[in-house]
């Protein structure tokens, strides 16, 4: 088989960018991305794409209408494709067995059933969503149990390692592409077909082929390792704050060991994003099901430490503001889970905002890319508050960081957007209630300069001097 047509089910953060790059690099292949959401597809076909990802607009503009199409006609795209990616969402289950931990595979299952219903001929079905180990087997069971004469399937696992905000570069210059398949002649042939697609731009030595289950587990493992590094450095940031060590210096010293390396050692208010927490919870659940409680407890601790970091940061904000934020005006700079994305899934900002709102604060939120409606949805969702109307009246979303900070008692910085480094903090200080506080949850600001301007500055993993208040408030004003 030579792959001429690819269909991708799911036009989200994974399916959209991945297929755009495949279309860009494989002009001989027609790529159709389908989604059940009419709105999402309309946005992919419009000037304003549904996701913000640096560099994505250019790629889409170059390929759309040539060999890249976005459509809601899922059945036709499946029928015509030689290879089908399943890139639907796999959220953590919110009810029933495995609630709060297991991945909800209902979208994967419905995509598989749709393929079973309409497919004709030979199809390679590629699982691209992050799914638990052995999910490929479930997809295969659905497909083969509903098989019709003349139709045959090969299932591959091809996990996505792109990070939001750098997705285009990650796709163009992948450290590795991982493809897992069945250990049969047909399985090997299908793996080779997908290798051929990636070989249009990825050197062969960076394409790893494994069995399906190794591929599935590798994705969970890679995310668990990355998140574990962040939780490790965050745990030490608490030690730094109590001892006078500086977590950036520690991270640098540790990261220079070539066996350890410098990546993912940036202490922060806590990791977010659609993958880390979900994948680790999934891993924990799988370990429990496999009767491996020690392994489950080991990975669970990575999440526990992340929760601790988020609540430790919120608690320090409240404590520093004289133990009460009731009716205080607090500016939040950044709401996305990291810079260069408009995605807020599991963002630490949500947790910090919730705590401050529970304590009666008035929040003024500014993020360069997150939509107002998304912030309101995140903060009024039934899973986070029973009082959506009260919350709505306590938050104001701003289009500008200067109006967001005007008249506030404190600034809480939750996302490391570059533009926050170069704001006019003298002007901001002048417009704030004194003493004016800044809580830098990302360690990106020039703290010495801010202190010179008059700010009370606190950050993660480092004590900063606060001469005046230290004297007045004594030990109760412990510095973060
Ligand atoms: C992650 C994986 O990196 C990617 O390979 C996988 O395919 C999907 O999950 P993503 O969640 O998009 O990607 O972003 P990532 O850059 O990994 O950041 C995740 C979170 O960790 C963010 O909240 C980020 O701010 C935080 N982080 C990252 C830190 O707090 N410190 C660090 O040193 C690195
Ligand atoms: P991810 O970050 O994993 O890409 P997203 O939520 O951004 O997740 O995107 C997943 C997309 O998959 C959504 O746009 C959703 O509408 C779509 N989707 C889910 N189930 C199906 C399905 N059965 N058929 C078509 N599209 C689906």
């Amino acid at each position: 088989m030579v792959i001429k047509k690819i269909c991708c089910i799911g036009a989200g953060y994974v399916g959209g960018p991945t297929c755009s790059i495949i279309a860009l690099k494989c002009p001989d292949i027609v790529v159709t991305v389908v989604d059940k959401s009419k709105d999402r597809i309309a946005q992919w076909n419009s000037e304003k794409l549904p996701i913000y990802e640096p560099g994505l607009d250019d790629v889409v503009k170059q390929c759309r209408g040539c060999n890249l199409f976005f459509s809601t006609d899922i059945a036709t795209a499946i029928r015509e494709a030689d290879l089908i990616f399943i890139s639907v969402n796999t959220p953590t289950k919110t009810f029933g067995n495995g609630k709060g931990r297991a991945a909800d595979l209902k979208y994967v299952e419905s995509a598989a059933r749709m393929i079973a219903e309409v497919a004709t001929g030979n199809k390679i079905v590629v699982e691209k969503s992050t799914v638990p180990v052995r999910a490929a087997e479930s997809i295969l069971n659905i497909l083969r149990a509903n098989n019709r004469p003349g139709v045959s399937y090969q299932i591959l696992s091809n996990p996505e390692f792109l990070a939001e905000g750098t997705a285009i570069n990650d796709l163009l210059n992948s450290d590795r592409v991982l493809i897992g398949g069945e250990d049969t002649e047909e399985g090997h042939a299908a793996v080779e077909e997908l290798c051929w697609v990636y070989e249009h731009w990825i050197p062969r030595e960076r394409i790893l082929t494994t069995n399906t289950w190794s591929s599935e587990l590798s994705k969970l493992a890679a995310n668990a390792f990355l998140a574990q590094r962040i939780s490790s450095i965050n745990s030490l940031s608490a030690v730094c704050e109590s001892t006078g060590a500086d977590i950036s210096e520690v991270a640098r010293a540790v990261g220079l060991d070539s066996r350890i390396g410098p990546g993912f050692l940036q202490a922060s208010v806590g990791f977010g994003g659609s993958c880390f927490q979900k994948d680790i919870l999934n891993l924990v659940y799988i370990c429990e099901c496999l009767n491996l409680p020690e392994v489950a407890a080991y990975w669970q601790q990575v999440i526990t430490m992340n929760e601790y970091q988020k609540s430790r940061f919120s608690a320090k904000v409240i404590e520093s503001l004289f133990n009460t934020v009731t009716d205080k005006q607090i500016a939040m700079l950044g709401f996305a889970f990291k810079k260069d994305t408009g995605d807020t899934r599991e963002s630490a900002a949500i947790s910090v905002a919730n705590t401050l709102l529970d304590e009666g604060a008035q929040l003024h939120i500014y993020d360069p890319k997150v939509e107002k409606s998304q912030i309101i949805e995140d903060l009024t969702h039934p899973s986070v508050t029973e009082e959506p109307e009260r919350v709505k009246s306590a938050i104001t979303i701003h289009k500008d960081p200067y109006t967001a900070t005007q008249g506030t008692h404190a600034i809480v910085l939750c996302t490391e957007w570059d533009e926050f480094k170069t704001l006019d903090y003298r002007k901001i200080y002048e417009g704030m209630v004194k003493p004016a506080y800044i809580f830098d949850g990302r360690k990106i600001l020039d703290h010495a300069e801010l202190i010179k301007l008059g700010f009370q500055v606190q950050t993660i993993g480092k004590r900063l001097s606060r001469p005046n208040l230290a004297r007045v408030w004594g030990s109760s004003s412990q510095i973060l």
Side-chain angles (χ1 to χ4, degrees):
M1 185 204 287
V2 176
I3 293 168
K4 293 198 190 74
K5 286 193 176 179
I6 289 179
C7 158
C8 173
I9 307 179
Y13 283 91
V14 171
T18 308
C19 285
S20 300
I21 292 296
I22 293 179
L24 181 76
K25 291 293 176 183
C26 308
D28 46 339
I29 300 177
V30 174
V31 183
T32 306
V33 186
V34 293
D35 202 291
K36 61 183 182 184
S37 161
K38 280 195 181 114
D39 284 353
R40 223 171 211 203
I41 291 299
Q43 283 176 296
W44 279 108
N45 283 319
S46 76
E47 282 303 297
K48 189 169 183 287
L49 302 185
I51 62 174
Y52 171 70
E53 188 61 56
L56 179 63
D57 279 29
D58 288 345
V59 178
V60 171
K61 272 186 197 137
Q62 218 173 307
C63 305
R64 197 170 55 191
C66 302
N67 67 332
L68 175 64
F69 300 91
F70 295 93
S71 163
T72 48
D73 186 353
I74 304 176
T76 305
I78 291 175
R79 218 173 284 123
E80 291 182 350
D82 307 305
L83 185 145
I84 302 160
F85 284 114
I86 301 184
S87 294
V88 299
N89 37 336
T90 50
T92 304
K93 276 185 86 169
T94 53
F95 56 87
N97 212 359
K99 174 184 169 185
R101 290 170 311 151
D104 190 340
L105 292 184
K106 68 180 174 192
Y107 302 111
V108 172
E109 183 180 334
S110 99
R113 289 192 187 281
M114 183 74 177
I115 296 170
E117 221 171 274
V118 302
T120 51
N122 303 329
K123 303 284 183 204
I124 299 174
V125 177
V126 185
E127 158 209 290
K128 218 171 200 349
S129 323
T130 299
V131 284
V133 182
R134 300 212 157 187
E137 205 178 21
S138 316
I139 297 174
L140 188 61
N141 282 342
I142 292 173
L143 294 179
R144 294 205 174 140
N146 293 285
N147 212 2
R148 284 170 286 110
V151 188
S152 77
Y153 300 103
Q154 275 303 315
I155 314 295
L156 303 179
S157 158
N158 172 218
E160 191 51 77
F161 293 108
L162 65 81
E164 287 173 34
T166 54
I168 298 302
N169 185 52
D170 295 344
L171 285 161
L172 289 173
N173 304 298
S174 310
D175 289 342
R176 80 305 206 183
V177 167
L178 184 55
I179 303 176
E182 264 185 348
D183 197 8
T184 59
E185 204 177 307
E186 296 81 5
H188 294 164
V191 168
E192 279 311 307
E193 297 290 348
L194 187 54
C195 284
W196 174 79
V197 173
Y198 284 108
E199 275 178 87
H200 281 74
W201 78 99
I202 303 283
R204 179 71 200 214
E205 63 274 15
R206 281 202 237 146
I207 305 178
L208 302 185
T209 58
T210 65
N211 76 36
T212 317
W213 302 329
S214 298
S215 167
E216 290 176 319
L217 183 58
S218 300
K219 172 66 195 259
L220 295 187
N223 277 344
F225 270 58
L226 291 169
Q228 182 198 42
R229 285 173 71 99
I230 303 169
S231 276
S232 296
I233 205 74
N234 282 345
S235 74
L236 293 172
S237 73
V239 178
C240 288
E241 289 155 27
S242 303
T243 59
D246 178 341
I247 197 64
S248 300
E249 291 176 353
V250 174
R252 185 168 145 74
V254 170
L256 279 172
D257 186 325
S258 59
R259 294 167 302 176
I260 297 174
F264 279 72
L265 289 180
Q266 175 72 38
S268 67
V269 54
F271 61 73
S274 70
C275 284
F276 282 177
Q277 174 160 316
K278 182 186 77 178
D279 287 358
I280 294 176
L281 288 171
N282 216 340
L283 185 59
V284 168
Y285 183 68
I286 289 168
C287 293
E288 281 172 1
C289 294
L290 294 171
N291 199 20
L292 299 168
E294 288 80 3
V295 185
Y298 177 77
W299 289 109
Q300 178 65 45
Q301 193 58 26
V302 174
I303 302 280
T304 306
M305 185 51 62
N306 199 45
E307 294 302 318
Y308 171 66
Q309 188 75 347
K310 290 187 277 187
S311 59
R312 203 168 68 83
F313 183 72
S314 313
K316 279 293 175 184
V317 173
I318 296 165
E319 190 190 309
S320 306
L321 295 175
F322 315 103
N323 275 321
T324 177
V325 291
T326 309
D327 292 332
K328 284 192 174 138
Q329 310 292 322
I330 298 183
M332 274 194 100
L333 294 186
F335 202 77
F337 80 94
K338 63 187 280 197
K339 72 171 181 178
D340 293 336
T341 179
D343 195 352
T344 62
R345 287 178 287 182
E346 305 298 340
S347 177
I350 300 176
S351 155
V352 174
N354 271 333
T355 307
L356 297 177
L357 288 165
D358 277 351
E359 295 283 330
Q362 300 281 323
L363 295 187
H364 298 266
I365 304 172
Y366 166 73
D367 186 285
K369 288 291 170 196
V370 180
E371 303 285 343
K372 179 177 176 177
S373 55
Q374 185 63 52
I375 298 177
I376 293 173
E377 191 185 317
D378 287 337
L379 295 180
T380 56
H381 195 269
S383 63
V384 298
T385 183
E386 285 168 3
E387 303 171 292
E389 290 312 315
R390 184 185 66 77
V391 166
K392 262 186 217 160
S393 66
I395 55 179
T396 312
I397 316 296
H398 294 258
K399 288 202 166 106
D400 172 271
Y402 296 101
T403 60
T405 50
Q406 177 67 31
T408 59
H409 296 79
I411 297 172
V412 177
L413 190 151
C414 289
T415 313
E416 74 283 22
W417 286 100
D418 288 337
E419 67 172 70
F420 296 158
K421 294 181 196 167
T422 53
L423 295 177
D424 181 349
Y425 284 99
R426 183 184 298 279
K427 180 172 148 188
I428 288 177
Y429 179 75
E430 280 161 12
M432 288 177 68
V433 177
K434 310 297 181 310
Y437 284 82
I438 288 196
F439 300 91
D440 179 2
R442 293 293 189 159
K443 286 181 82 71
I444 57 163
L445 303 179
D446 182 342
H447 300 140
E449 191 55 35
L450 292 171
I451 291 169
K452 248 197 254 165
L453 289 174
F455 277 106
Q456 302 295 323
V457 185
Q458 302 203 18
T459 189
I460 302 273
K462 186 181 183 182
R463 284 185 181 183
L464 294 168
S465 57
R466 286 194 321 171
N468 299 335
L469 284 184
R471 233 177 286 127
V472 179
W473 292 88
S475 61
S476 70
S477 69
Q478 269 182 359
I479 293 163
L480 182 69

